[in-house]
């Protein structure tokens, strides 16, 4: 079976959980065997792991004819693609796109991020999808998150092949209900055109059914999982101070993630004990507000902001922690608690998160209940028996949550839509 996947992020160049989940799922599907995956991303860097998927960059796909030599393509794009693929793609340009801003190879530039002209990039990505869908052989289309739904729809219209969309989040999650109508319409259009919809949790599934008015029979939950730790990550050793505990929030500092509840809970814990430091690791539009809030609560001397962490830095931070807290207001899934549990860090998560559906050996509180959150933090850092149980049982539990199992569920969905 051949799958054509559209994504927006792919490790090692990721900006959030979408890239991590796309990578883990694709790799897990490959482990199941009998699947050939072509993964399209806006901008390739050449250092992506290509052992289990063929990577095509939208930024390297010509949409306007340019008379260029093999050697020139090799010189410009050889770091990330075989020049022959460029010429194969060029032969399937389906319209005159010279009105678009293209480079000397007839390709549209993509930022590979979430720029101010994001809607323009989403539209350009769907144009490129038409060239790719006419060139690549595939049996099923899989679009990850709303940014790639228009590309998936175009590929379906071109090929007549079934479309599966993967809802990693909805705008109801990202905006705390203050939904952007343009984004909502893109999301719903993708859902209406899809032959089947995958959601990362039952929480998200209910949102799709109730807020987007989709037939429940068309929506299946496939929970996310976590990558096994590499030897490099396992070998990281971070010293712990016997005098001070470390409590960590790690993620985007945005209203969806509930950072203010973490700060308020920290202030309550620090009224009981001074032997603890709180860390907010990440970046986002609420960072300055959180710095100000920690100052207003008079806890700045016990509160630290690291900025954005990636790759190995994430695990260094987690291994330095005694407690991990994810107080998300609306979290479709939330992979970070699983990553914390992998390295033996007891975790506290909000009941409003998708991962709460599959995790047992964690403490769950309502995101708004800062007293319960503070009590949970205090209990873990104060009572060794609670810490030990959550650490050991959590690690044992998370090691059984594997991407291969999620991958097989997705492959089963592919078979279902292909047979229909």
């Amino acid at each position: 079976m051949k799958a054509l996947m559209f994504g927006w992020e792919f490790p090692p160049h990721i900006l959030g959980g979408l890239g991590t989940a796309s990578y883990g799922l694709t790799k897990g599907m490959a482990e199941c065997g009998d699947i050939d995956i072509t993964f399209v991303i806006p901008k390739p860097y050449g250092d992506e792991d290509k052992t289990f998927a063929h990577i095509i960059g939208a930024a390297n796909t010509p949409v306007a004819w340019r008379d260029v030599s093999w050697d020139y393509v090799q010189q410009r794009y050889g770091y990330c693609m075989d020049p022959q693929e460029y010429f194969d793609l060029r032969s399937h340009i389906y319209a005159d796109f010279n009105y678009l801003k293209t480079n000397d190879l007839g390709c549209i530039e993509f930022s590979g991020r979430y720029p101010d002209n994001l809607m323009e990039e989403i539209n350009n990505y769907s144009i490129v999808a038409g060239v790719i869908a006419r060139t690549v052989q595939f049996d099923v289309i899989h679009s990850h998150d709303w940014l790639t739904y228009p590309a998936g729809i175009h590929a379906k219209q071109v090929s007549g092949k079934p479309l599966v969309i993967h809802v990693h989040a909805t705008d109801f999650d990202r905006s705390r209900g203050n939904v952007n109508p343009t984004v909502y319409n893109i999301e719903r259009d993708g859902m209406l055109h899809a032959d089947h919809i995958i959601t990362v949790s039952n929480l998200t599934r209910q949102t799709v059914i109730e807020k987007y008015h989709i037939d429940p029979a068309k929506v299946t939950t496939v929970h996310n999982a976590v990558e096994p730790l590499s030897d490099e990550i396992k070998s990281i050793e971070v010293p712990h101070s016997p005098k001070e505990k470390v409590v960590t929030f790690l993620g985007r500092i945005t209203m969806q993630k509930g950072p203010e509840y973490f700060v308020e809970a920290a202030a309550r814990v620090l009224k009981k004990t001074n032997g603890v430091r709180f860390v907010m690791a990440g970046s986002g539009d609420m960072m300055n507000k959180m710095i100000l809030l920690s100052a207003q609560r008079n806890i700045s001397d016990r509160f630290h902001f690291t900025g954005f962490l990636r790759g190995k830095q994430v695990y260094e931070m987690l291994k330095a922690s005694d407690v991990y807290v994810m107080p998300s207001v609306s979290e479709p899934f939330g992979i970070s608690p699983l990553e914390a549990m992998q390295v033996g860090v007891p975790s506290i998560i909000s009941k409003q998160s998708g991962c709460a559906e599959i995790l047992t050996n964690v403490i769950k509180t309502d995101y708004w209940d800062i007293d319960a959150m503070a009590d949970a933090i205090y209990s873990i850092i104060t009572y060794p028996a609670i810490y030990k149980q959550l650490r050991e049982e959590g690690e044992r539990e998370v090691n059984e949550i594997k991407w291969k199992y999620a991958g097989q569920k997705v492959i089963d969905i592919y078979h279902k839509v292909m047979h229909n």
Side-chain angles (χ1 to χ4, degrees):
M1 186 196 307
K2 297 179 187 291
L4 174 60
M5 274 196 190
F6 293 100
W8 204 259
E9 298 181 19
F10 201 81
H13 305 277
I14 59 173
L15 299 164
L18 176 61
T20 303
S22 298
Y23 175 88
L25 178 66
T26 309
K27 190 173 182 183
M29 291 171 67
E31 288 176 21
C32 297
D34 193 31
I35 184 88
D36 180 0
I37 301 168
T38 296
F39 201 104
V40 183
I41 52 176
K43 182 179 179 179
Y45 291 84
D47 56 354
E48 294 84 8
D49 185 350
K50 304 177 185 69
T51 58
F52 54 87
H54 175 59
I55 305 289
I56 294 182
N60 307 129
T61 300
V63 297
W65 179 275
R66 295 291 184 269
D67 188 9
V68 290
S69 69
W70 176 286
D71 289 342
Y72 187 65
V73 177
Q74 174 65 37
Q75 175 191 331
R76 294 274 274 105
Y77 289 160
Y79 67 94
C80 66
M81 75 184 298
D82 181 343
Q84 184 58 51
E85 185 165 63
Y86 169 87
F87 292 105
D88 290 343
L89 291 162
R90 191 182 67 173
S91 66
H92 288 92
I93 296 171
Y94 57 93
D96 183 0
F97 292 112
N98 280 298
Y99 68 91
L100 293 171
K101 185 180 178 183
T102 56
N103 63 15
D104 56 339
L105 287 167
C107 302
I108 303 169
E109 301 284 352
F110 286 87
S111 66
R113 303 178 70 84
Y114 300 90
D116 291 338
N117 67 330
L118 182 59
M119 293 301 172
E120 181 185 351
E121 289 214 351
I122 291 169
N123 182 62
N124 288 344
Y125 190 71
S126 71
I127 289 171
V128 170
V131 176
I132 294 171
R134 287 169 168 84
T135 308
V136 177
Q137 295 296 311
F138 57 93
D139 304 300
V140 63
I141 306 154
H142 189 149
S143 284
H144 288 281
D145 226 33
W146 71 279
L147 308 124
T148 74
Y149 295 167
I153 292 168
H154 191 181
K156 177 180 179 177
Q157 290 168 340
V158 167
S159 65
K161 299 296 170 69
L163 169 64
V164 174
I165 68 163
H166 208 127
V167 183
H168 294 265
T170 71
D171 209 48
F172 286 90
D173 303 301
R174 292 181 291 268
S175 67
R176 282 197 195 175
N178 187 23
V179 176
N180 180 323
T182 302
V183 177
Y184 177 89
N185 287 333
I186 292 173
E187 289 176 329
R188 189 161 190 273
D189 198 39
M191 293 173 191
L192 293 175
H193 280 88
D195 294 271
H196 206 80
I197 300 165
I198 297 172
T199 57
V200 295
S201 63
N202 292 323
L203 188 75
T204 308
R205 182 175 182 270
Q206 282 309 116
T207 300
V208 168
I209 293 166
E210 294 171 7
K211 303 291 189 183
Y212 295 84
H213 315 294
I214 302 299
D215 178 1
K218 193 177 173 178
V219 193
T220 300
T221 295
V222 178
H223 289 104
N224 284 337
V226 68
E227 273 282 289
L229 294 179
S230 67
D231 291 337
E232 180 188 20
I233 300 300
K234 288 178 182 176
S235 67
I236 295 172
E237 292 189 13
V238 181
H240 279 249
S241 168
K243 296 181 180 179
E244 288 189 322
K245 303 297 184 182
V246 176
V247 181
T248 299
F249 167 109
L250 193 152
R252 284 181 291 113
I253 306 176
T254 63
M255 62 180 179
Q256 180 191 349
K257 303 297 182 179
E260 68 270 37
Y261 302 106
F262 180 71
V263 178
E264 297 289 6
R268 279 164 169 71
V269 173
L270 288 165
K271 285 179 180 177
K272 294 183 177 181
T273 176
N274 205 38
V276 56
R277 290 189 180 274
F278 289 84
V279 177
M280 186 165 280
S283 60
D285 59 7
M286 286 183 69
M287 186 168 177
N288 289 338
K289 286 183 181 177
M290 294 306 101
I291 293 171
L292 181 62
L293 182 60
S294 66
Q296 290 171 341
R297 296 293 176 266
N298 202 28
I299 60 173
S300 294
D301 60 326
R302 313 300 297 173
F303 214 99
H304 307 270
F305 294 86
T306 69
F308 184 75
L309 303 180
R310 59 166 52 85
K312 188 179 177 182
Q313 294 173 321
V314 169
Y315 287 97
E316 288 172 341
M317 186 66 251
L318 291 174
K319 284 196 172 189
S321 306
D322 297 283
V323 185
Y324 176 75
V325 184
M326 187 182 76
S328 296
V329 175
S330 180
E331 187 70 56
F333 186 78
I335 288 177
S336 54
L338 281 68
E339 294 172 331
M341 293 162 71
Q342 275 186 305
V343 295
V345 182
S347 295
I348 300 166
I349 63 176
S350 75
K351 293 177 182 177
Q352 291 74 24
S353 59
C355 63
E357 297 169 9
I358 63 168
L359 294 176
T360 304
N361 294 288
V362 294
I363 295 179
K364 304 171 189 177
T365 70
D366 288 303
Y367 71 85
W368 45 262
D369 195 343
I370 51 179
D371 290 317
M373 201 182 301
D375 288 344
I377 293 168
Y378 184 79
S379 297
I380 294 170
I381 63 175
T382 306
Y383 303 109
I386 294 175
Y387 173 85
K388 183 173 184 289
Q389 182 181 357
L390 287 171
R391 176 186 175 93
E392 293 176 356
E393 294 302 318
E395 194 171 344
R396 187 176 296 119
E397 178 180 26
V398 79
N399 285 337
E400 290 304 310
I401 301 173
K402 299 178 180 179
W403 278 117
K404 185 176 181 179
Y405 303 151
Q408 187 57 59
K409 290 177 182 176
V410 171
I411 291 171
D412 290 344
I413 289 168
Y414 286 179
H415 283 298
K416 180 180 175 182
V417 297
M418 285 166 60
H419 289 146
N420 287 345

